[in-house]
Amino acid sequence: MSTVRDIGEFALIDRISRLLPTSSAVVVGVGDDCAVLRFCERMMLVSCDLFVENVHFRRDYAQAEEIGWKAAASSVSDVAAMGGQPMFVLVALGCPPDTPTQYVQLLYRGMSAVVSRFGAAIVGGDTSVSPDSIVIDVTVIGQAIGNRCLTRRGARAGDVLAVTGPLGLAAAGLHSLKHGHPAPALRTAHLSPRPRVPEGQWLCGQPFAHAMIDISDGLAQDAQHIAESSRIGVNIDPAKLPVHPELQAYCEPHGLDPMAFILTGGEDYELAFAMDGEHAGKAIEAFGSEFRTGLSVVGEFTAEWTGVRINGEPLDKTGHDHFLASTPT
């Protein structure tokens, strides 16, 4: 009998999704950043994320408010990935009975800080005892702006792959925490990510944008999600990937390759999207006039094959998988 370690996270999701009934109100179900649900005259966006101690965070690496912030930010980022507006948040918390009350309050302060920053509010949830670790489950409910959202499906052959902001800083921040290397900027990138909510809304409003995802599992894997959902391939050009000076400065003295963090590191919560290549230049200029974060074209979609390649070559490992035995801890 196979185990979840044998098949991996995404094969498990695929098997589960085949068992689940659907409804006429479901516009987009399992397999995207959010479920898209038709409610009266609105398109609602719903997503949840688990945040498990010693899997997603460690208390000796982060303060309570930072843990709360990141737990909520990852769910808010799912709404950003579809160009939506977060509205309401539900939080389910499991914790050991000897957890200090003030620590729990600080967790919620961090969660409230990030959701309120983007106009949403925590409106309820649940609490339970957990034998030996903290578990946080954050559900976010949002809405599509103008009843339009960008899903992972929609990229076309000839589209280019573009990304917002610098990549790899969060993964390098985790590396610095694990190895005790001082790197304040990278630590902040790892523990206090900023969901790209206004940027996602802007991109969703542009006709040249065809598909989008947030970069939570690493650029290579998340670009592959777009390509496979769109039934085409994507080729990433490493020469076009911007390397942030802080990342370069961290990698050089430790003999590390920035591309490993950029391509497979994950937890950047930047946006990757497919857009009409003819509009790339004007899109970058227009985006730059609206936002301080950068926008870079880093690859191209093709109908010649499916999946993701780097300089035309397949990758053995594309990004994070919670269950595969080869995934580093």
Side-chain angles (χ1 to χ4, degrees), residues 52-76:
V52 180
E53 185 174 0
N54 298 324
V55 176
H56 299 93
F57 68 92
R58 286 178 54 172
R59 282 190 254 181
D60 54 340
Y61 288 171
Q63 300 298 313
E65 284 189 71
E66 293 172 322
I67 294 168
W69 174 287
K70 189 172 181 180
S74 64
S75 287
V76 170

Side-chain angles (χ1 to χ4, degrees), residues 62-213:
Q63 300 298 313
E65 284 189 71
E66 293 172 322
I67 294 168
W69 174 287
K70 189 172 181 180
S74 64
S75 287
V76 170
S77 183
D78 287 336
V79 174
M82 303 190 86
Q85 173 60 45
M87 298 171 64
F88 308 110
V89 173
L90 300 169
V91 178
L93 172 71
C95 63
D98 60 353
T99 305
T101 304
Q102 184 180 18
Y103 192 90
V104 174
Q105 291 174 315
L106 291 173
L107 286 174
Y108 276 81
R109 182 180 293 178
M111 288 185 278
S112 182
V114 67
V115 303
S116 62
R117 180 169 182 168
F118 298 106
I122 297 175
V123 296
D126 193 17
T127 57
S128 173
V129 67
S130 174
D132 52 22
S133 62
I134 292 175
V135 179
I136 307 170
D137 181 42
V138 180
T139 298
V140 61
I141 302 169
Q143 67 175 339
I145 306 297
N147 279 348
R148 180 181 190 244
C149 62
L150 285 174
T151 68
R152 300 178 181 183
R153 179 180 297 181
R156 309 166 187 174
D159 280 357
V160 295
L161 172 68
V163 298
T164 64
L167 304 180
L169 276 68
L174 177 59
H175 185 279
S176 73
L177 290 168
K178 284 183 174 181
H179 294 84
H181 302 317
L186 302 182
R187 182 186 185 279
T188 298
H190 176 68
L191 295 176
S192 304
R194 181 186 179 278
R196 298 298 184 185
V197 173
E199 293 88 344
Q201 292 174 357
W202 187 88
L203 289 167
C204 188
Q206 309 303 316
F208 57 71
H210 300 150
M212 189 158 64
I213 193 172

